Amino acid sequence: EAQVTQNPRYLITVTGKKLTVTCSQNMNHEYMSWYRQDPGLGLRQIYYSMNVEVTDKGDVPEGYKVSRKEKRNFPLILESPSPNQTSLYFCASSLNRQGNTEAFFGQGTRLTVV
Amino acid sequence: KQEVTQIPAALSVPEGENLVLNCSFTDSAIYNLQWFRQDPGKGLTSLLLIQSSQREQTSGRLNASLDKSSGRSTLYIAASQPGDSATYLCAPRGGGGTSYGKLTFGQGTILTVHP
């Protein structure tokens, strides 16, 4: 079954404690991205990756890092989380970034930073 | 920069009605447009994908149209059911510039279908 898997689904952490949210896809997709969803602001892109070792900033990259060492995995790293990073996070993947490509989303990670 | 607007923001209807949800976008240079459904606190489920060269796409009771030149898409839901209650999001995929390859989301339409 084609899927995007995020872990954990729920996370409560304290300010400044480094954390990683994992994302894995089993469709051999090249293009992966991270979004955050906040009330009144909708979904906004944080970072994206066009392929292994190729990543770039989205609309709201401050406070986040990503890596793409393998094609299937695209972890989101918060080096020093702050309360304004409390949000619902989604990982997405698609075959590539253009043309006939459907985006698939993970189930989301609800992060609370206290 | 692509901007997406969805109207109405919320819709409450009795079961059985036919519905139209509207989506407009400012940059017509898109590769495709995708409609999603999101249940409260849950992930996004893809409903329909329309390529930029297509005018319509259908899946069951859902029909989506795309007028790329005017920057509009509509999602038509026939014979609505309580199980259709969710937030519906449209997202064009940028075909160039700073939006290249990126999905830009509208705020969504919150749909409630009463039994």
Side-chain angles (χ1 to χ4, degrees):
Chain A
E1 179 190 356
Q3 59 184 10
V4 179
T5 304
Q6 292 179 228
N7 280 296
R9 293 289 311 281
Y10 302 91
L11 181 59
I12 301 174
T13 190
V14 296
T15 298
K17 185 177 181 182
K18 181 180 178 180
L19 66 92
T20 299
V21 183
T22 64
C23 174
S24 180
Q25 50 92 6
N26 64 358
M27 296 167 277
N28 201 36
H29 284 172
E30 291 181 351
Y31 188 71
M32 298 184 73
S33 53
W34 278 101
Y35 290 82
R36 61 178 288 173
Q37 185 177 32
D38 302 288
L41 297 175
L43 281 130
R44 295 174 292 168
Q45 191 184 58
I46 303 170
Y47 266 94
Y48 65 93
S49 169
M50 290 182 283
N51 214 323
V52 175
E53 302 291 0
V54 182
T55 63
D56 206 348
K57 298 176 181 178
D59 297 319
V60 287
E62 296 77 19
Y64 304 94
K65 286 175 57 178
V66 293
S67 69
R68 188 92 181 270
K69 294 184 170 56
E70 305 165 286
K71 201 170 188 179
R72 65 182 293 127
N73 296 324
F74 189 45
L76 179 69
I77 303 157
L78 285 72
E79 294 270 2
S80 183
S82 62
N84 65 12
Q85 293 178 298
T86 293
S87 187
L88 181 58
Y89 291 86
F90 290 103
C91 178
S93 78
S94 54
L95 183 60
N96 51 51
R97 69 191 296 197
Q98 65 226 38
N100 184 18
T101 53
E102 181 179 6
F104 295 83
F105 279 74
Q107 286 303 299
T109 295
R110 184 166 294 282
L111 172 65
T112 302
V113 184
V114 298
Chain B
K1 179 185 174 185
Q2 181 75 277
E3 293 181 3
V4 179
T5 303
Q6 291 188 243
I7 294 173
L11 188 60
S12 182
V13 299
E15 182 176 6
E17 283 206 0
N18 300 324
L19 311 171
V20 176
L21 309 182
N22 297 292
C23 170
S24 62
F25 47 95
T26 55
D27 185 353
S28 62
I30 64 170
Y31 279 120
N32 57 48
L33 185 143
Q34 208 164 343
W35 281 92
F36 295 90
R37 167 191 173 131
Q38 185 178 27
D39 294 291
K42 303 291 187 183
L44 279 69
T45 301
S46 179
L47 297 173
L48 288 164
L49 171 71
I50 314 179
Q51 299 301 329
S52 61
S53 58
Q54 294 179 314
R55 298 283 294 183
E56 278 190 14
Q57 192 67 253
T58 298
S59 176
R61 294 183 294 109
L62 304 179
N63 175 276
S65 68
L66 175 64
D67 185 343
K68 189 181 125 172
S69 60
S70 67
R72 293 178 187 171
S73 178
T74 59
L75 179 67
Y76 177 80
I77 304 176
S80 58
Q81 303 170 357
D84 294 330
S85 299
T87 297
Y88 290 80
L89 298 160
C90 74
R93 182 183 292 272
T98 58
S99 297
Y100 180 47
K102 182 175 74 174
L103 292 177
T104 302
F105 286 86
Q107 291 285 333
T109 293
I110 302 171
L111 173 65
T112 305
V113 182
H114 301 286

